[in-house]
Amino acid sequence: RFRFLCSPPEWTHFLEGTRPGFLLGLNRGALPPAAEKAVAESSIPQALYFLEDPDWYDPKPETWSLLDRVYVFDPGHGKCLEAMGYKGRRMLPSAAALRLPSTPTDLPRYAVTFVGSSGFNRGVERYFDQMERMCPGISPVFAQLIEGTLEWGAAWLKTEIPNRVDISRIGSPGLLLKMIEEAATIRRHLWYLNALVGSPFAIFGDSGWADSTRVGALATHYAGRGTYYPTETAAVYASSEVNINLFHLQCERSLILRVYDVMACGGFLLSEYTPAFEGVFRIGEDLDVFRTPQELKEKVQFYLAHPERRRGIARCGQRAVLRGHTHAHRLRRIVEDLGFAGY
């Protein structure tokens, strides 16, 4: 409800009338200062559940100390919070927010789909251009950081930025971290998806996928639009024979929302590998994975040719997610952690 309660009078009315036991927000808090003051004076516990890395937002002690808890889904997230002495950081895996569509849709069935952003609408190029104007000659350093992130990962990037960049010159270290990770993610996604050019493959997402100067032949696979979340997205997941999942470079040791959503909708998931799958799902039984573009191509061909095997895996994956990986399960964890187990 945070985003819809924007004025202090609305918050005063909400707090007096509802008397919540605690307030839980997603990602950055959206409370105006007067509302923050009202909440603080009411002694209502506050928590944020981050589906991004809070280090992107340059956390400061004076604002984050108002939060009793900050939940992150990747163990590498929120390291700045720990460094500044914040004690409320907790690990909480992502979870499924979607369900199998309950009503028929007029969407066609798809052989292979990828639902996701191209990354080009997130201002990466504009940011790098602006930084080059402000700090002439810094572009090669950014290029080196992108290459290093692709090879060694986001954990390396967090330690390397202070060694390569004069933080005082760039304004926001968190924004630089985000943009390097975004640029590396774009490169990695194109590397994988280009293996499927010429196959029965559709991409749903923003118009960046239509720009052949950026994505090359993948533009011919663009479905022309994104999907409306949650209903249409769930329908695409359920009606696709193979759903491709790729990770953002910020998520090195975690499972993202798409993993859980595809499986919850009964879709077959073929995902880029991460060690985070181990101990959570059974690879080859609840979903399958790939580690290289060539393996992605080969497994797509295999599962299209073996529909019964594919459907059996999808059924097992759906049962696994609904049994223990929905937002209801995560909310119970938060309630217990905040001391409201009786709710």
Side-chain angles (χ1 to χ4, degrees), residues 3-223:
R3 61 184 292 198
F4 302 109
L5 297 170
C6 296
S7 71
E10 287 175 325
W11 269 99
T12 300
H13 177 74
F14 171 68
L15 294 172
E16 290 177 349
T18 307
R19 308 297 298 177
F22 66 94
L23 296 173
L24 174 65
L26 289 176
N27 287 338
R28 293 148 291 172
L31 300 184
E36 287 279 14
K37 182 174 182 294
V39 173
E41 291 175 348
S42 70
S43 299
I44 296 173
Q46 293 185 73
L48 285 182
Y49 186 10
F50 262 83
L51 304 180
E52 296 175 333
D53 188 346
D55 291 347
W56 285 358
Y57 304 105
D58 300 319
K60 301 294 188 296
E62 59 271 19
T63 54
W64 291 71
S65 63
L66 296 173
L67 299 168
D68 296 85
R69 296 286 188 276
V70 171
Y71 298 97
V72 296
F73 74 94
D74 188 290
H77 290 181
K79 292 298 185 180
C80 286
L81 295 173
E82 288 188 338
M84 73 184 196
Y86 179 75
K87 303 296 185 183
R89 178 180 173 274
R90 299 286 190 276
M91 270 294 302
L92 188 66
S94 188
L98 299 183
R99 290 290 187 276
L100 184 68
S102 57
T103 57
T105 69
D106 57 0
L107 287 175
R109 291 197 64 83
Y110 294 93
V112 185
T113 60
F114 173 74
V115 179
S117 169
S118 70
F120 294 112
N121 61 344
R122 293 174 177 166
V124 175
E125 295 169 341
R126 185 169 62 252
Y127 173 80
F128 288 152
D129 288 344
Q130 181 181 4
M131 287 297 101
E132 178 61 28
R133 289 195 298 271
M134 292 173 58
C135 310
I138 202 170
S139 292
V141 177
F142 290 162
Q144 293 167 7
L145 289 171
I146 292 169
E147 293 294 336
T149 303
L150 286 167
E151 185 169 357
W152 295 300
W156 171 87
L157 177 63
K158 287 191 176 186
T159 60
E160 196 64 22
I161 283 179
N163 298 330
R164 305 270 186 125
V165 179
D166 181 355
I167 300 298
S168 64
R169 299 176 65 202
I170 63 166
S172 167
L175 184 57
L176 174 59
L177 173 67
K178 178 178 181 178
M179 290 303 166
I180 295 292
E181 290 178 351
E182 294 281 12
T185 296
I186 292 170
R187 290 262 303 275
R188 190 170 179 84
H189 284 189
L190 295 179
W191 180 62
Y192 274 122
L193 293 178
N194 268 304
L196 299 180
V197 169
S199 65
F201 168 54
I203 299 174
F204 289 89
D206 59 87
S207 59
W209 290 114
D211 188 347
S212 60
T213 64
R214 288 168 159 170
V215 304
L218 284 171
T220 63
H221 291 269
Y222 181 44

Side-chain angles (χ1 to χ4, degrees), residues 293-305:
Q294 182 61 28
E295 189 178 16
L296 167 60
K297 181 178 180 178
E298 291 172 357
K299 287 199 172 182
V300 163
Q301 293 170 345
F302 174 83
Y303 283 110
L304 290 179

